Amino acid sequence: MPDVEALCLGETMVLVSPGAGQPLATAREAVLSVAGAESTVARYLADLGHRVAWAGRVGLDPHGERILSAVGGGGVDVRLVERDPTAPTGVFFKDPAADGTRVHYYRAGSAASRMTPAYLDRLPLSSARVVHQSGITPALSPQCAETATALFTRAREAGVLCSFDVNHRPGLWDARRAAGPLLSLARQADLVFVGLDEADRVWRTGTPEEVRDLIGPGVSVVVKDGAAGATLFAPHAAPVFVPAQPVDVVEPVGAGDAFAAGYLSAWLHDAAPAARLALGHRTAALALGSVEDHADACALRPAPESVR
């Protein structure tokens, strides 16, 4: 396959959403779409003009076909994705309610949960500038946890930037079980994205500075504080804070992935730290204004000179 600037690895599933915000218990109609943290980052990076590949595993079933069509149709290279004839593609459901939307996962035993470090042998790590994964993958199975660790080990050996979104999912593992593995991967990465609220939930850190101190001085850490903004702590540099732009929030799902993609896009263009955070906010704003995990961000595609 041709060289790629970015390689994103993780599980993507089919999402079932009841029509018109109805609760699952009474809904008579539903809409099928595609959602996955890492493939969403890949789709935004493709929107922003980058050569990007998504790696993962799906079943040899119609759900897997839908995922490959949706992600690949957005300009992401999906030729690295394995199809498993003996395991299903994961599925999850949204359940809208007055006090917030809940999700119900049906991904145990999925094709993606069977990913092992041997799968990494197929990936063109040495051709990429950055590899990106999230804290969802190590929660799927013991072999997925091994794969997540091995990915960063191999990428670092190849001189590739290791990007990690903590992305704690309480529905997959509670904070007590997740704390150690997520911290280990964060310390193995070169760049970490984490929400201040999830850092407090998982690691009991109350401030952005405490998050930075816990992960360590050798890692660039982006701490996101919701509508307030985001702070970058980079090694041997003063912290950089950029406020978030005001936006009418339709649904927050996917905004973190959009932010990571915007930041990584600006990094790939060698933009200054403040410009990276600013593009992250602009991309996240699109996601916040949409009910979809991925909102078209092609209009944000910058010329290299415009993001410096």
Side-chain angles (χ1 to χ4, degrees):
M1 65 178 293
D3 289 352
V4 294
E5 295 174 274
L7 175 64
C8 304
L9 180 141
E11 181 173 34
T12 296
M13 298 179 292
V14 165
L15 169 61
V16 183
S17 304
Q22 303 171 55
L24 279 173
T26 58
R28 299 178 66 88
E29 297 180 347
V31 175
L32 299 184
S33 58
V34 168
E38 295 84 1
S39 62
T40 298
V41 171
R43 292 170 82 178
Y44 278 115
L45 282 171
D47 289 348
L48 292 166
H50 299 283
R51 302 184 312 278
V52 56
W54 166 59
R57 303 185 83 247
V58 297
L60 191 61
D61 52 28
H63 293 322
E65 200 68 50
R66 177 184 291 270
I67 288 169
L68 292 175
S69 176
V71 178
V76 177
D77 196 319
V78 296
R79 286 177 289 176
L80 297 170
V81 178
E82 286 187 344
R83 304 199 67 183
D84 189 334
T86 65
T89 302
V91 177
F92 72 115
F93 292 74
K94 278 186 181 179
D95 189 15
D99 59 346
T101 298
R102 295 178 176 83
V103 294
H104 301 271
Y105 296 114
Y106 296 84
R107 69 202 308 176
S110 69
S113 72
R114 297 185 178 186
M115 188 161 44
T116 70
Y119 172 57
L120 304 179
D121 295 340
R122 295 187 52 207
L123 306 187
L125 295 179
S126 60
S127 73
R129 290 183 60 191
V130 57
V131 297
H132 178 80
Q133 65 176 330
S134 82
I136 295 173
T137 298
L140 300 180
S141 67
Q143 56 264 42
C144 279
E146 293 175 6
T147 303
T149 297
L151 175 64
F152 278 169
T153 298
R154 297 191 188 192
R156 187 175 290 279
E157 291 172 351
V160 178
L161 185 88
C162 297
S163 170
F164 180 61
D165 190 339
V166 171
N167 222 335
H168 174 240
R169 290 288 189 265
L172 293 176
W173 50 356
D174 61 32
R176 180 185 57 80
R177 289 198 305 119
L182 292 179
L183 182 57
S184 178
L185 281 169
R187 288 174 172 171
Q188 194 182 1
D190 300 298
L191 170 64
V192 173
F193 300 96
V194 61
L196 186 59
D197 55 347
E198 69 177 336
D200 180 56
R201 183 175 65 243
V202 176
W203 297 321
R204 303 301 185 195
T205 49
T207 67
E209 289 76 16
E210 288 178 359
V211 178
R212 184 269 318 274
D213 291 345
L214 178 69
I215 293 175
V219 180
S220 291
V221 181
V222 177
V223 182
K224 300 169 292 178
D225 189 9
T231 304
L232 168 64
F233 298 94
H236 314 299
V240 177
F241 173 80
V242 173
Q245 63 185 70
V247 60
D248 293 327
V249 178
V250 175
E251 190 171 81
V253 176
D257 303 319
F259 182 97
Y263 183 99
L264 288 171
S265 174
W267 179 85
L268 286 165
H269 283 303
D270 299 318
R276 299 176 215 161
L277 294 171
L279 187 56
H281 285 315
R282 291 170 62 201
T283 313
L286 292 177
L288 289 168
S290 171
V291 296
E292 302 293 335
D293 271 35
H294 168 257
D296 187 352
C298 290
L300 296 182
R301 183 178 298 186
E305 61 272 14
S306 71
V307 296
R308 286 196 172 90

